[in-house]
Amino acid sequence: MYRRQNRGGVAIVLYAIAMFTIMLCMGLALDAGYLYTQKGMGQLTEDIIALIVLGSTDRALTHDQQIAYIEDQVNRLEAANGLPTPFYTRRTESNTEGDVVKLILNAPNPLKTMMMNLIGIGTVNVGLEAIAVRGFINKKINPDCPGNLGLFGCVRLQVQGNPLVDSYRSGLGSYASQAVNPGCGSSSGSGSHGDDDGGHDGSGSGSHGHLSHGGHGGHGESLYARRNLLGMSNRLVDLTGSFCYHGDTQSSLDTEIVGSGLVDGRVTTEYFNGDSDLVTDGVVIETVSDFNLDPAIGSASATSNDNGTVSGGFDGDALLPPNFQLKQTGSNKEILLTAGKKYYFKEIDMAGASKLRIIGNPATAGPVEITLDGDAKFNGDITSDIQPMRPGWLKLTGINGCTQCCVGCQSSGVGHRGGHGHHDAMLPGLKRLFGQEPTQLGALPGSGSQWQLLGTLGVMPNPEVPAWMRPGAINLADGGGEHGDGGGGSHDGHDDGLPGGHADGHYHHSEAGPCDDGPGHSNGSAHSIKFAGNSTVFMDIYAPGYNVNTNGVSQYHGRIMAEEIQLQGNIGFHYDEDLGGCVQVVEADTGDSAKVHLIN
C-alpha cells in the first residue's frame, strides 16, 4: 500500500537558501556601489590636490625650493582632508630649466567592505592616480646629456637567450678589468665566449670573453662590472630565457619576463606579465610617458665625406658614387678607418669575418663618425690601434630611417594588445567621473574672485581654500596630455603637444611599419644593422627607425638607440656609462604654459 512521505519544511529550506543568495547578491551590489562611490570621491580629492599644488608652485623658485614647496602643500592638503601623512606617493618631472612641470600622485586607497568581509575579503584597494601637467610637455631622448640610458628601442627592446647585460666605464680601463662582481648563477656551467678560463655563459674557452669563473647560461657564477644601466621602450620590453640583466628597465606599455633569468634592478611599466620574483628591486606599475627620438642628422653626406681615406681590403669600385658601398674584397680581410674622419655609406657589407680597425689616435684626433644611409652587416671584430678601445671612438648614425621617430608612427611586429586605450587623456578634468563638462576654474584666492571648482555640477560649490594658497590660473576645460583614449587605431597624433590633440592615440597591431619610409624589413623598420661572426664590437649607435640585431656578437661595448633592438644568443652587452644619455622634458611653446591640466 502506497504511503505518502512527510515532506513538511522543504519549502522553508529552499526559501531560506534563496533569501540568503538574494541577500548576498544585494550585499555585493552594495559593496560595489560603495567602493565605486568612494573611489570617485577619492579620485576627485586627489585630482584637486594635484591641480592646486602644481598650479600654485612658483616657477621663480629654485628646483629644490619647488620640490620642498610641493611636499609641504601636499602634506597640508592631506591633513585638511583628514588623510594620514603621507597618504600619496609623490613624483615630479622637471624641464631643462629645472621647473617642475608634472606632478604625479598615487595611493592604494584601501577601503573596508561589508558583505565581502563574510567571504574573507575585508578590504579592497581601489588605486588612485592623478597626473597634473603644466602646459603641454614633450619628452625626448637626448644622447648627449649626462645619464645612464644605454638601450632605447622605440617599439621593442628584446633580450633573449643567455645574454649578460651590464655597464662599465671605459674611462677607467677595459671591461675585463672591471668585471669583478659576482652575478647570476651559483656554481658551474659550460660556455663558448671565454677569456682564457671562462665564458659568458659557462666555464669553457674562447677568445672574446669577459668572465673567468663560469657563466650565467650554464647557471654558473657570472661576473659583471656595474649595474648603472637603463633600458627603455615606448611599447615592449621583452626579456626571455636565461638572461642576466644588471640594471633597470622602463616601458610605456608592456614588460614581459619569461624564463629563468634575473633582472638585477627595477622594472617600471604600465602592464607586467611574468614572474616578479625575477626582479631584485621590484616591479613598479605606473603610467609612463612615451618618448621622442629625434631624426638622425649625419656628420657626412654624398658630397661631403672622407671616404677617400678608407684603406685595407675593401672594394674600391663599390665605394665610388653613387653606390657608396663599403664591402670587403674577400674573407678575413681588414678595413681601416682613420680617427677623426667622417664617412658616408649607403651600405656596409662586411662578410667573411672581415674586421674593422681604427688607425690613428681617436683620443686626440677625435672619433670615427659613420653616417649610414641604408643597411649594415658586420661580421668581424671592431677594434683600434689604441688599446683599450673605447666605444665612443666609433659613432654610427643611421639616417633616413624615419621622419617622425617614435611619434605618430604605427607599431608593427609587437602588437599583442590591439585596441588598447591609454587613459582618458585629453578628457577635461572630472568629466570621467560625472559625464559632464566641468567649468573653467576662476583665479585662485588673492586675485579678487572666489574660486569655484565644479560650478554647475553642484558637488563642491565655492569650496574654502586655505589662505596660504597663491594665485594661479588653472584650466580644466582645454585638455592637454600625453596619451590617447581607447578604441582601435594606429597610434595617431601621439604626443603632438597640441591642445585637444590625441583623439585616437591607440596601440594596435598593424601591418604597416612603425616608420615605413623605406624599403621595409620584417619588423617594418626602414633599415637594419646586423652583427654576426662571434665578434667583439665597440660602437655607439644612434639610428632612429632602424632594427638593430646583435645575434652572433660575442661582446658589444657601447650604446644603442634605435626603433627596435634585439640582444639575442650569448651576447655580453656592456653599456659604457661615459657615453651618457638621458630623457629630457621639453615644454611646447603654445603661449599657454601657465595653465595646469589633468592628463589621466
Side-chain angles (χ1 to χ4, degrees):
M1 181 176 179
Y2 175 76
R3 180 176 297 177
R4 183 176 180 180
Q5 295 181 355
N6 184 5
R7 300 194 181 190
V10 173
I12 298 249
V13 173
L14 295 176
Y15 179 77
I17 294 174
M19 286 299 296
F20 176 79
T21 304
I22 292 172
M23 293 297 293
L24 179 61
C25 293
M26 290 178 62
L28 293 176
L30 288 173
D31 273 346
Y34 168 76
L35 294 175
Y36 179 81
T37 302
Q38 292 299 312
K39 177 178 173 61
M41 294 175 62
Q43 185 66 59
L44 176 61
T45 301
E46 188 178 44
D47 288 344
I48 294 172
I49 291 176
L51 286 167
I52 290 176
V53 172
L54 184 60
S56 64
T57 301
D58 189 350
R59 304 181 74 172
L61 299 174
T62 66
H63 174 73
D64 290 342
Q65 289 173 333
Q66 291 181 37
I67 296 297
Y69 172 82
I70 288 172
E71 286 290 329
D72 179 62
Q73 305 315 329
V74 172
N75 288 341
R76 297 181 70 168
L77 283 171
E78 286 174 338
N81 283 275
L83 300 173
T85 299
F87 181 74
Y88 302 112
T89 59
R90 309 95 187 261
R91 292 190 300 111
T92 60
E93 294 180 3
S94 304
N95 60 16
T96 53
E97 286 75 36
D99 294 326
V100 177
V101 294
K102 188 173 185 179
L103 173 61
I104 305 171
L105 301 179
N106 287 280
N109 197 29
L111 298 176
K112 294 183 178 181
T113 63
M114 294 178 288
M115 295 301 295
M116 289 185 186
N117 193 38
L118 299 177
I119 57 175
I121 305 176
T123 59
V124 174
N125 285 337
V126 289
L128 304 175
E129 182 180 67
I131 305 176
V133 174
R134 184 188 298 279
F136 301 93
I137 65 173
N138 196 5
K139 291 186 176 182
K140 60 182 293 184
I141 302 297
N142 185 345
D144 299 320
C145 62
N148 65 336
L149 182 56
L151 289 165
F152 179 74
C154 179
V155 298
R156 178 166 61 173
L157 169 59
Q158 182 183 60
V159 179
Q160 186 177 55
N162 302 316
L164 178 121
V165 181
D166 65 351
S167 67
Y168 81 115
R169 291 194 59 191
S170 63
L172 300 179
S174 68
Y175 173 81
S177 67
Q178 299 177 49
V180 297
N181 299 304
C184 304
S186 58
S187 56
S188 62
S190 59
S192 58
H193 304 310
D195 184 5
D196 297 332
D197 63 339
H200 156 55
D201 64 342
S203 57
S205 62
S207 57
H208 306 301
H210 54 277
L211 307 178
S212 59
H213 299 292
H216 171 61
H219 296 286
E221 179 193 16
S222 65
L223 299 181
Y224 73 98
R226 296 159 64 97
R227 47 170 279 179
N228 188 27
L229 162 69
L230 174 61
M232 295 174 52
S233 175
N234 281 354
R235 291 294 165 265
L236 175 64
V237 173
D238 180 12
L239 299 104
T240 305
S242 299
F243 56 88
C244 189
Y245 186 103
H246 296 280
D248 299 333
T249 70
Q250 179 174 304
S251 172
S252 300
L253 190 61
D254 289 330
T255 297
E256 298 182 356
I257 298 180
V258 180
S260 58
L262 178 70
V263 177
D264 181 21
R266 184 176 67 173
V267 170
T268 304
T269 184
E270 186 160 351
Y271 295 95
F272 179 77
N273 179 30
D275 187 355
S276 60
D277 290 338
L278 300 179
V279 184
T280 62
D281 293 357
V283 177
V284 178
I285 305 297
E286 64 183 25
T287 301
V288 180
S289 304
D290 280 358
F291 305 95
N292 298 342
L293 201 60
D294 287 341
I297 300 176
S299 60
S301 66
T303 57
S304 177
N305 58 69
D306 297 318
N307 288 8
T309 64
V310 178
S311 60
F314 71 101
D315 186 335
D317 292 336
L319 187 57
L320 294 175
N323 297 321
F324 295 103
Q325 296 173 327
L326 182 64
K327 293 185 175 182
Q328 85 292 343
T329 55
S331 61
N332 296 312
K333 298 293 184 177
E334 189 174 59
I335 296 178
L336 309 179
L337 303 180
T338 304
K341 301 299 182 182
K342 299 175 174 60
Y343 300 93
Y344 173 82
F345 305 126
K346 286 188 174 180
E347 181 184 359
I348 299 175
D349 187 3
M350 300 183 63
S354 296
K355 298 180 179 180
L356 188 66
R357 179 162 60 91
I358 298 176
I359 59 175
N361 189 350
T364 56
V368 168
E369 298 182 29
I370 295 177
T371 299
L372 176 65
D373 193 4
D375 295 339
K377 182 185 295 183
F378 298 92
N379 197 35
D381 293 343
I382 297 178
T383 184
S384 67
D385 288 344
I386 306 299
Q387 293 294 322
M389 182 171 175
R390 302 184 63 176
W393 291 351
L394 178 55
K395 296 182 177 294
L396 188 150
T397 301
I399 64 173
N400 295 326
C402 57
T403 54
Q404 297 186 74
C405 308
C406 301
V407 182
C409 299
Q410 295 178 342
S411 301
S412 173
V414 295
H416 59 284
R417 181 179 281 112
H420 168 67
H422 214 51
H423 308 294
D424 294 338
M426 306 320 238
L427 291 181
L430 306 172
K431 182 179 178 181
R432 64 178 182 276
L433 295 178
F434 300 99
Q436 303 179 50
E437 292 288 350
T439 59
Q440 179 172 325
L441 288 173
L444 289 175
S447 60
S449 64
Q450 190 167 14
W451 180 52
Q452 192 171 2
L453 175 63
L454 298 177
T456 57
L457 296 181
V459 179
M460 291 180 62
N462 302 325
E464 295 232 356
V465 179
W468 45 265
M469 290 304 304
R470 290 196 288 267
I474 302 177
N475 188 339
L476 292 181
D478 286 348
E482 303 171 22
H483 298 285
D485 175 34
S490 58
H491 201 190
D492 299 329
H494 198 70
D495 270 340
D496 58 8
L498 299 176
H502 327 306
D504 290 301
H506 321 295
Y507 176 60
H508 183 67
H509 178 78
S510 170
E511 294 304 320
C515 294
D516 51 350
D517 303 321
H521 290 268
S522 60
N523 75 319
S525 297
H527 297 298
S528 67
I529 301 171
K530 298 181 179 180
F531 297 89
N534 195 31
S535 54
T536 295
V537 174
F538 294 83
M539 189 178 294
D540 181 15
I541 296 177
Y542 185 84
Y546 282 64
N547 172 22
V548 179
N549 190 319
T550 62
N551 187 20
V553 173
S554 169
Q555 309 298 319
Y556 184 103
H557 308 76
R559 179 178 61 174
I560 302 175
M561 297 182 179
E563 185 77 7
E564 182 172 1
I565 301 172
Q566 295 170 290
L567 305 180
Q568 298 177 331
N570 296 317
I571 181 177
F573 178 88
H574 316 300
Y575 162 61
D576 181 6
E577 297 175 28
D578 291 338
L579 294 174
C582 73
V583 175
Q584 286 188 329
V585 177
V586 181
E587 286 185 82
D589 185 12
T590 64
D592 198 23
S593 61
K595 292 185 177 180
V596 176
H597 313 270
L598 289 174
I599 66 170
N600 65 330

